[in-house]
């Protein structure tokens, strides 16, 4: 009887022991599950990966500023005899294509388009001097040569507060007398498009595409509608071909050329 009692007592102890063990296991598992956000076990092996929020950035409209070096393919488009009634549209075309150019202006036209002259300056275009009345300087005495150039600069000073530092002589006519009279460098060209003679935008554009190379200075005239139309073809296409369209002075400066008074400059090759 005593033995039987002891056996029952032992059986109960085993049962109670098992219940306690299961209870402990249950509480451990339950605790681990409810603590899974902070538990090392759950966060390391079970936790869902955090989804990163994708922030969409507004596209940047400004084109990247190209740092010009002597190795950058570049062309200087230059326009003579203006400003005229198409010049403002030409400035807009260049602006839209992130391009610049040089304008060799006549004093007699500067007075008619002061706002266009201001816009050229504000947009970083170069303004050069092409005399007041488009005269062949070699046919005149020093006083007239001087008046023709300084008269145009006086008109520019009225509008901008300063004159032009470069002269492009009409017809490319320069002699010793002109050189001795004018204290300016002379801006010539390497590609003459003969736009005034071709008169056809596609023909002018084709001539330029077939002729220009890196470092060329291209002669054009902004007083003709066909030249403006030609530029609508030429400017985007030259940019697409990898050319930077720069001013005459920019191109020389990038190539380390310091212009001197009385000297002629044609290109950068
Ligand atoms: Ni001219």
């Amino acid at each position: 009887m005593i033995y039987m009692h002891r056996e029952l007592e032992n059986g109960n102890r085993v049962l109670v022991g098992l219940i306690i063990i299961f209870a402990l296991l249950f509480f451990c598992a339950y605790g681990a599950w409810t603590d899974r956000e902070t538990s090392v076990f759950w966060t390391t092996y079970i936790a869902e990966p955090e989804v990163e929020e994708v922030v969409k950035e507004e596209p940047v409209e400004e084109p990247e500023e190209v740092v010009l070096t002597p190795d950058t393919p570049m062309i200087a488009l230059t326009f003579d005899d203006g400003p005229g009634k198409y010049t403002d549209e030409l400035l807009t075309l260049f602006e839209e294509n992130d391009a610049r150019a040089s304008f060799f202006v006549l004093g007699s036209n500067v007075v008619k388009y002061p706002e266009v002259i201001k816009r050229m300056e504000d947009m970083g275009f170069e303004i050069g001097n092409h005399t007041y009345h488009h005269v062949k300087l070699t046919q005149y005495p020093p006083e007239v040569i001087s008046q023709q150039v300084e008269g145009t600069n006086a008109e520019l000073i009225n509008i901008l507060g300063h004159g032009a530092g470069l002269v492009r002589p009409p017809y490319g006519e320069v002699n010793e007398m002109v050189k001795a009279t004018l204290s300016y460098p002379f801006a010539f060209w390497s590609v003459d498009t003969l736009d005034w003679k071709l008169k056809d935008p596609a023909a002018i554009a084709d001539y330029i595409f077939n002729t220009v190379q890196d470092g060329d200075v291209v002669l054009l005239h902004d007083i003709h509608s066909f030249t403006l139309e030609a530029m609508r073809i030429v400017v985007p296409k030259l940019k697409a071909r990898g050319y930077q369209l720069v001013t005459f002075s920019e191109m020389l400066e990038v190539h380390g050329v310091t212009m001197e008074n009385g000297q002629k400059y044609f290109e950068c090759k």
Side-chain angles (χ1 to χ4, degrees):
M1 186 66 191
I2 294 167
Y3 285 110
M4 254 180 75
H5 178 74
R6 277 190 182 164
E7 271 173 30
L8 266 174
E9 213 170 51
N10 284 343
N12 281 343
R13 278 182 187 164
V14 169
L15 193 64
V16 168
L18 283 173
I19 288 168
I20 289 168
I21 287 163
F22 279 118
L24 282 171
L25 281 171
F26 174 77
F27 279 113
C28 284
Y30 180 75
W33 174 256
T34 52
D35 282 351
R36 65 192 186 283
E37 295 295 322
T38 50
S39 132
V40 173
F41 175 80
W42 288 101
T43 51
T44 308
Y45 299 103
I46 311 288
E48 284 179 21
E50 274 183 32
V51 179
E52 274 184 38
E53 203 176 319
V54 180
V55 182
K56 275 194 179 175
E57 281 183 20
E58 286 291 309
V60 182
E61 299 251 332
E62 280 291 306
E64 258 181 57
E65 182 83 16
V66 175
V67 180
L68 299 174
T69 75
D71 296 328
T72 313
M74 63 181 83
I75 288 168
L77 298 178
T78 65
F79 298 89
D80 288 10
D81 302 359
K85 55 183 171 180
Y86 309 109
T87 309
D88 202 41
E89 273 184 84
L90 198 56
L91 294 181
T92 302
L93 172 69
F94 273 82
E95 188 177 40
E96 286 167 355
N97 286 276
D98 189 32
R100 283 185 294 276
S102 296
F103 290 86
F104 293 93
V105 298
L106 297 176
S108 56
N109 282 338
V110 169
V111 289
K112 294 179 196 164
Y113 298 95
E115 292 304 318
V116 174
I117 293 290
K118 264 187 221 161
R119 192 171 172 219
M120 279 179 191
E121 171 101 338
D122 290 346
M123 290 167 64
F125 286 78
E126 178 168 43
I127 301 170
N129 192 323
H130 197 44
T131 76
Y132 206 98
H133 289 117
H134 206 269
V135 296
K136 202 173 268 188
L137 291 171
T138 50
Q139 294 181 339
Y140 291 92
E143 311 86 71
V144 176
I145 295 169
S146 190
Q147 282 167 11
Q148 282 290 321
V149 170
E150 297 312 326
T152 296
N153 269 356
E155 303 294 1
L156 290 174
I157 290 166
N158 277 341
I159 299 164
L160 304 172
H162 62 86
L166 270 181
V167 169
R168 174 169 279 172
Y171 315 101
E173 291 279 335
V174 169
N175 60 13
E176 290 309 312
M177 169 87 81
V178 173
K179 284 185 191 175
T181 307
L182 298 175
S183 303
Y184 297 96
F186 297 111
F188 276 65
W189 55 89
S190 54
V191 173
D192 186 351
T193 61
L194 298 178
D195 55 345
W196 55 273
K197 207 170 170 183
L198 288 173
K199 293 187 169 65
D200 173 42
I204 296 165
D206 280 348
Y207 181 79
I208 292 172
F209 294 137
N210 294 331
T211 313
V212 288
Q213 292 175 338
D214 180 21
D216 268 325
V217 176
V218 182
L219 174 59
L220 293 149
H221 300 84
D222 52 320
I223 52 170
H224 305 299
S225 62
F226 48 79
T227 299
L228 169 65
E229 294 312 314
M231 289 306 103
R232 293 196 198 282
I233 308 168
V234 167
V235 171
K237 207 161 165 182
L238 287 181
K239 289 286 292 190
R241 286 189 183 183
Y243 287 112
Q244 294 304 309
L245 301 182
V246 299
T247 70
F248 183 92
S249 290
E250 267 178 320
M251 189 155 82
L252 270 72
E253 196 187 325
V254 169
H255 289 83
V257 178
T258 307
M259 288 188 273
E260 289 170 22
N261 294 343
Q263 294 298 308
K264 298 176 187 174
Y265 299 90
F266 298 86
E267 61 188 2
C268 277
K269 287 185 183 171

